[in-house]
Amino acid sequence: MTTAVPPAPKYAVGSLVHARGREWVVLPDSTEELLVLRPLGGADVDIAGVLPGLETVVPATFARPTPSDLGDQHTAGLLRTALRLGFRAGAGPFRSLASIAVDPRPYQLVPLMMALRQDTVRLLIADDVGIGKTVESGLIAAELLAQGDARGLVVLCSPALAEQWRAELHGKFGIDARLVLPATIGRLERETPYGQSVFRRDGAYVVSTDFIKSPRHREDFLRNCPDLVIVDEAHTCVADSTAQVSARTSQQRYGLLRTLADDPARHLLLVTATPHSGKEEPFRRLLGLLDPRLATVSFDTRAGRELLAEFFVQRRRADIREDFQDGAHFPSTRDTAEISYALHRDYRALLGEVLAYARETVRSADGALQQRQRWWSTLALLRTLSSSPAAAVRSLNTRAGVREADTPDEADRTGQSTVSDPADTDSAQSADEVPGSLLPPAAPTDGDAIDDEEKARLIAMAEAASKLAGPTRDTKLKKLVATVTDLLDAGYRPIVFCRYIATADYVADHLTKVLNKKGAEYPVAVASVTGKHSPDMRLNRIAELTGADENGDPAPERRVLVATDCLSEGVNLQESFDAVIHYDLAWNPTRHEQREGRVDRFGQRTDTVKALTLYGADNPVDDIVLKVLLRKHEHIRRATGISVPVPQQAESAMQAVFEELILHGESSAFEQEGLFSREEAYAAAEQLEIAWESSAEREKASRSRYAQNTIKKEEVAAEVAEIRAALGTGEEVREFTRRALGALRGMPADRKQGGFTAHTDALPQGLRDTVTAALGPRHPRPVVFHDAPSAPRGEVALTRTDPVVAATARFVLDTALDEKFPDWQRPARRCGVVRTTAVRRPTTMLLVRHRFQLNLPTRDGGVRTQLAEDARVVAFQGKPEAPQWLSEEEALALLGARATGNSDPGFATDHITEILAALDTGLMDELRTRSKTAAKELEASHHRVRTAARARLAGLKATPQGDPDVLGVFLYRPAATIQLGADA
């Protein structure tokens, strides 16, 4: 049996053709019947298909410069940088680096190298919160797509994070993904031809995991799913078989992933900062998606550890701190502190009344079911009252979810999911509703006398709670106001995290009033974001708080965001906030880590971020959570540098201690030393501590298991640095952008904080329109350009793939190649003659572009053809017919030569004409030789990286395509010692 293959194209990849009135470069995937072409100097969006049988296609050559099109001393540098910044088919072994907008840290290359070692990529990336898992998975996706090892991509994530994933893929990796959500599926289906699927194997999608696991869409998705899948927050897709929380949802998600993983050719990246919730079984099921052997192999053996190292990478902050010694934006310190307050006497009295009510109702329960129902309803009331008066009132007026339970186990499952923050809960995205505390009557009686009495008691507690609202009686709120004020005065921009929607709205309302009361010297912008807002509304509310207003004025520096834990996962807030206040204590330390990770992450410009925890010094509920969970977690983190998940025993220990408080706490309810007086509670807390310390020791010992120890990230980083240098260094990008915008009437001005500002209103219209499209019509003016790999919304990062930088480079290159533009819109020219003290003999510099056909071995044993481009500067001394060639370093040094005198235009034109004529007689032979040398260097670079990654080498080859393009010709003449004339 034979397989038909497309006929070989008449034109090789990288060759030039003329069609439709312009020159094009032939791209991979071309056949004899269909040429896939990109305009010479154009972008990927300009790619077109041309049918040679129907249209005229002929070989072409690159047009040489016009001798009279002369520029000044900066011309050569601008033209060279514009050319390099425009490359999207980089020559180096990491094919995607030319088209991504991130400059990866050395540690972020480790997962990519692990992926290159595998035939089918299967990885669990479990780095700490905030150090770049999205970038790491995006790098792998971009590289697989660039090399052709993957045709399409789908990201499975929470709907709340879908828009952020779409923006990250587009902004950082140039991948345009479609959102597949309940809100978008109708439109997508209407746009899809009848009988076809919304999904295509070569498409890119960001999909809600819970939406796509539904029976209506699941099978269609599985049939047409792309061959590369990224699963965000992957820990939510597995659950312990004995789990009491969200088991059904997790099993449905796991079933979806299990089916996807059963395709042996599908690439699968699992991403989570919490792969291990403290329970071994869910962790093993997660690993089993990558390779079935990982579900059962012993990691105590060398063979087991080596197997794990192939699929699993996990780094803590301490592991990667050294990679941020170059001034990159990453906080050096997280300043944590506890801030206490004393309850107002009225608040303390109500808390005592609630405890007495809880004790009575639980003790008088009739049977195990009613006891568990009452236990959870009173615990809900205690927790909501500890949160805020508003949450307590809400709870006292809401039916308890546990009242529908038919068994004690069902009551516990419901209670844990609505009242606690269990480690194996699937998400914080929708868990901020206030849990109810209303139950059926205490006991059936004639005339419902007891029922009426209990109702009256609950009504009285609700009324008492409502009277506590405001900073007078709510000392927690009063302390928050003081804490927020201190942070704002110190220049911080805090996020206040609350447990419940009612509390967040209550806090935001009071902060707005108090911080902006009449006579306030500086206004403060306050906004709340909670689970009652849709994912899009959440992003819009954050944008309204942190972005420019409708007049283009920048966001207020004094701002406060109040949020529930719907923002504690996934949403990146480091560009606009730099402090976290835990207004409500989470009953799971991991949640605190997630909250703080919103600001303590890569891209944060504040060197020391703040994390402050409020607690009631005389509130027994807070005391239990602090003593049993939070302080212990922080102690282990500080001692080991590791954030260790809460052990399985945590839930039972917490229950035991709360039972001690509720059932036996008459005399010790508000005395710390009395909380653990009962043997059962003490034993449970002690067992939790022992288990936690043991987990910490195992976690420390396990660091040696992971694959980063087998990959020399410094060697890989050196290859990346070389590729980045060929594409344009950070300093070159900054200098080019500033100089180009200055020439184009952008009036750049340096900033004290670094970077510069530029005005866009006077730029040429084409460039101005592109900038406005990239930044938005209401972007701040002047535009801020940051010396950093990231920038806030509406501003510019000075990186080669930032849309504004890329547009500027494209405009400079296009106008240099087209003499029809007005002179002031052409800051770069293709020719120049410069008098300078940098040379002692006449020296000619040529700006040359090489194109290569690159054959890369594929994972299935074949070879894939791709296009690669490179720009080089070459130079020689003396006459063109007898050149003395300089080294690459000497040639590059000419770009910094300063002009000391002018050249007569006629004289300059004659010399440039003479040099161009020599291209036909001898210079081109040298340029062809240099093309072959560059091809060998390119091949060697690919060989080194593939050897390090243990990837295939058979068939690897780089071949020059056609003669090099001469983009610029520049003559440097010695400065005259005696000024007799313009060109004496």
Side-chain angles (χ1 to χ4, degrees), residues 132 182 684 694:
S694 177

Side-chain angles (χ1 to χ4, degrees), residues 359-522:
R359 189 171 305 116
E360 293 169 18
T361 54
V362 173
R363 284 177 173 176
S364 63
D366 183 14
L369 173 59
Q370 192 177 72
Q371 185 184 57
R372 299 314 296 165
Q373 289 174 325
R374 292 185 177 186
W375 163 259
W376 286 111
S377 66
T378 54
L379 194 59
L381 184 52
L382 278 172
R383 187 171 190 187
T384 55
L385 183 57
S386 296
S387 176
S388 70
V393 171
R394 176 79 174 175
S395 179
L396 285 162
N397 287 282
T398 304
R399 288 162 55 97
V402 293
R403 69 183 294 167
E404 308 299 332
D406 295 323
T407 66
D409 285 346
E410 187 179 345
D412 284 343
R413 285 194 296 271
T414 302
Q416 286 178 22
S417 65
T418 57
V419 181
S420 298
D421 302 328
D424 56 357
T425 189
D426 60 348
S427 176
Q429 299 290 341
S430 58
D432 51 6
E433 285 287 356
V434 170
S437 55
L438 287 181
L439 287 171
T445 61
D446 295 335
D448 290 330
I450 295 178
D451 183 32
D452 290 341
E453 181 181 335
E454 187 167 337
K455 280 184 180 179
R457 191 174 183 182
L458 293 172
I459 291 171
M461 286 192 289
E463 291 175 349
S466 66
K467 293 176 182 178
L468 298 174
T472 301
R473 291 184 176 85
D474 186 355
T475 51
K476 180 182 180 182
L477 179 64
K478 183 178 180 180
K479 178 62 71 172
L480 174 69
V481 172
T483 303
V484 167
T485 301
D486 289 344
L487 286 173
L488 292 172
D489 290 344
Y492 282 91
R493 298 157 298 173
I495 306 173
V496 181
F497 275 105
C498 305
R499 178 62 175 83
Y500 302 114
I501 295 172
T503 300
D505 289 343
Y506 163 81
V507 166
D509 181 58
H510 281 280
L511 283 179
T512 301
K513 293 176 182 176
V514 175
L515 297 177
N516 295 288
K517 62 186 177 182
K518 190 174 182 180
E521 186 175 0
Y522 302 105

Side-chain angles (χ1 to χ4, degrees), residues 209-461:
T209 309
D210 284 338
F211 171 71
I212 211 63
K213 69 177 172 55
S214 65
R216 179 184 172 193
H217 302 285
R218 184 178 187 272
E219 294 307 316
D220 175 53
F221 172 69
L222 291 173
R223 280 194 303 270
N224 299 283
C225 181
D227 52 1
L228 170 57
V229 177
I230 299 174
V231 184
D232 192 25
E233 303 295 349
H235 63 280
T236 67
C237 299
V238 293
D240 189 351
S241 59
T242 62
Q244 295 183 320
V245 180
S246 305
R248 180 181 177 187
T249 298
S250 294
Q251 289 299 334
Q252 289 176 331
R253 295 173 185 167
Y254 177 78
L256 177 70
L257 295 192
R258 181 69 270 170
T259 305
L260 290 172
D262 285 342
D263 181 351
R266 175 163 284 115
H267 306 297
L268 183 62
L269 302 178
L270 306 179
V271 180
T272 174
T274 52
H276 202 303
S277 67
K279 299 180 180 180
E280 186 70 9
E281 184 185 346
F283 178 58
R284 290 289 189 154
R285 297 181 80 196
L286 199 62
L287 292 173
L289 292 170
L290 308 175
D291 188 304
R293 295 173 294 173
L294 291 171
T296 56
V297 70
S298 171
F299 297 145
D300 293 329
T301 66
R302 179 177 179 180
R305 290 193 296 271
E306 290 178 349
L307 180 64
L308 177 65
E310 294 180 27
F311 300 92
F312 183 38
V313 58
Q314 183 178 43
R315 277 78 56 85
R316 305 301 189 185
R317 290 172 175 274
D319 300 328
I320 55 90
R321 187 69 66 181
E322 64 185 35
D323 284 1
F324 290 92
Q325 301 301 312
D326 58 354
H329 295 306
F330 193 84
S332 64
T333 309
R334 184 191 301 181
D335 185 5
T336 63
E338 293 178 358
I339 299 177
S340 66
Y341 60 91
L343 293 170
H344 187 276
R345 61 178 181 275
D346 294 344
Y347 217 123
R348 191 184 302 111
L350 179 58
L351 189 56
E353 168 66 15
V354 169
L355 275 169
Y357 168 76
R359 189 171 305 116
E360 293 169 18
T361 54
V362 173
R363 284 177 173 176
S364 63
D366 183 14
L369 173 59
Q370 192 177 72
Q371 185 184 57
R372 299 314 296 165
Q373 289 174 325
R374 292 185 177 186
W375 163 259
W376 286 111
S377 66
T378 54
L379 194 59
L381 184 52
L382 278 172
R383 187 171 190 187
T384 55
L385 183 57
S386 296
S387 176
S388 70
V393 171
R394 176 79 174 175
S395 179
L396 285 162
N397 287 282
T398 304
R399 288 162 55 97
V402 293
R403 69 183 294 167
E404 308 299 332
D406 295 323
T407 66
D409 285 346
E410 187 179 345
D412 284 343
R413 285 194 296 271
T414 302
Q416 286 178 22
S417 65
T418 57
V419 181
S420 298
D421 302 328
D424 56 357
T425 189
D426 60 348
S427 176
Q429 299 290 341
S430 58
D432 51 6
E433 285 287 356
V434 170
S437 55
L438 287 181
L439 287 171
T445 61
D446 295 335
D448 290 330
I450 295 178
D451 183 32
D452 290 341
E453 181 181 335
E454 187 167 337
K455 280 184 180 179
R457 191 174 183 182
L458 293 172
I459 291 171
M461 286 192 289

Side-chain angles (χ1 to χ4, degrees), residues 843-883:
T843 303
T844 301
M845 183 181 73
L846 304 177
L847 177 58
V848 179
R849 174 172 55 196
H850 302 283
R851 286 186 302 279
F852 308 97
Q853 179 174 301
L854 186 60
N855 293 334
L856 296 176
T858 59
R859 297 167 189 269
D860 59 3
V863 174
R864 182 177 297 107
T865 301
Q866 295 195 334
L867 168 68
E869 296 175 304
D870 193 14
R872 297 289 179 98
V873 172
V874 297
F876 62 86
Q877 291 181 337
K879 294 283 187 180
E881 55 271 19

Side-chain angles (χ1 to χ4, degrees), residues 534-829:
S534 69
D536 287 343
M537 288 178 64
R538 297 173 198 173
L539 296 178
N540 289 339
R541 289 178 71 85
I542 294 171
E544 290 171 2
L545 179 65
T546 62
D549 63 21
E550 57 186 11
N551 298 319
D553 295 327
E557 280 300 310
R558 293 172 68 86
R559 56 178 177 262
V560 181
L561 176 63
V562 183
T564 61
D565 287 310
C566 70
L567 290 188
S568 70
E569 292 182 291
V571 179
N572 298 335
L573 301 169
Q574 72 274 20
E575 292 177 355
S576 304
F577 301 95
D578 47 21
V580 163
I581 300 174
H582 302 287
Y583 189 72
D584 290 332
L585 305 182
W587 290 11
N588 181 352
T590 301
R591 191 65 51 79
H592 278 229
E593 282 286 319
Q594 291 168 336
R595 292 172 176 179
E596 293 166 13
R598 297 310 99 214
V599 300
D600 187 5
R601 62 193 304 113
F602 180 50
Q604 174 60 258
R605 286 176 168 75
T606 302
D607 188 57
T608 299
V609 297
K610 295 274 190 180
L612 308 177
T613 301
L614 264 60
Y615 74 96
D618 49 358
N619 182 336
V621 177
D622 284 358
D623 188 71
I624 289 172
V625 177
L626 278 171
K627 183 174 286 187
V628 178
L629 292 178
L630 300 182
R631 285 176 180 159
K632 190 62 192 175
H633 177 268
E634 181 65 10
H635 169 74
I636 292 175
R637 188 181 72 83
R638 288 180 181 274
T640 65
I642 298 172
S643 179
V644 181
V646 183
Q648 266 181 281
Q649 296 92 328
E651 189 69 33
S652 59
M654 288 284 287
Q655 290 235 21
V657 178
F658 274 123
E659 284 180 12
E660 167 63 21
L661 168 67
I662 292 175
L663 298 181
H664 308 288
E666 289 97 331
S667 61
S668 60
F670 299 98
E671 300 172 11
Q672 282 191 343
E673 63 272 17
L675 285 177
F676 302 122
S677 58
R678 297 286 174 163
E679 183 178 342
E680 182 181 359
Y682 181 84
E686 186 177 43
Q687 288 301 314
L688 171 61
E689 184 170 343
I690 293 172
W692 217 335
E693 294 282 5
S694 177
S695 293
E697 290 303 315
R698 286 197 306 271
E699 194 80 12
K700 275 186 80 173
S702 71
R703 282 180 164 184
S704 62
R705 297 174 177 173
Y706 305 142
Q708 66 267 27
N709 294 328
T710 66
I711 293 176
K712 304 301 182 184
K713 64 180 183 181
E714 294 78 12
E715 295 177 6
V716 181
E719 294 286 347
V720 172
E722 184 176 327
I723 297 168
R724 282 296 199 189
L727 297 170
T729 65
E731 182 56 36
E732 284 181 292
V733 171
R734 184 190 190 282
E735 181 63 22
F736 165 81
T737 307
R738 197 184 194 289
R739 191 178 296 280
L741 291 176
L744 295 169
R745 303 178 179 175
M747 297 181 293
D750 289 333
R751 301 170 70 235
K752 292 181 179 178
Q753 308 93 317
F756 59 87
T757 61
H759 295 266
T760 59
D761 294 338
L763 295 176
Q765 183 173 349
L767 179 58
R768 185 172 68 244
D769 292 345
T770 305
V771 170
T772 299
L775 300 181
R778 296 190 297 176
H779 66 80
R781 292 172 172 81
V783 176
V784 178
F785 290 73
H786 293 276
D787 287 324
S790 61
R793 187 183 297 105
E795 300 178 4
V796 179
L798 286 167
T799 61
R800 66 186 305 278
T801 50
D802 182 278
V804 174
V805 174
T808 304
R810 175 80 180 277
F811 185 86
V812 169
L813 183 59
D814 286 349
T815 56
L817 298 175
D818 190 344
E819 299 178 27
K820 298 186 182 68
F821 281 85
D823 285 349
W824 75 272
Q825 294 187 18
R826 303 182 67 221
R829 304 294 175 90

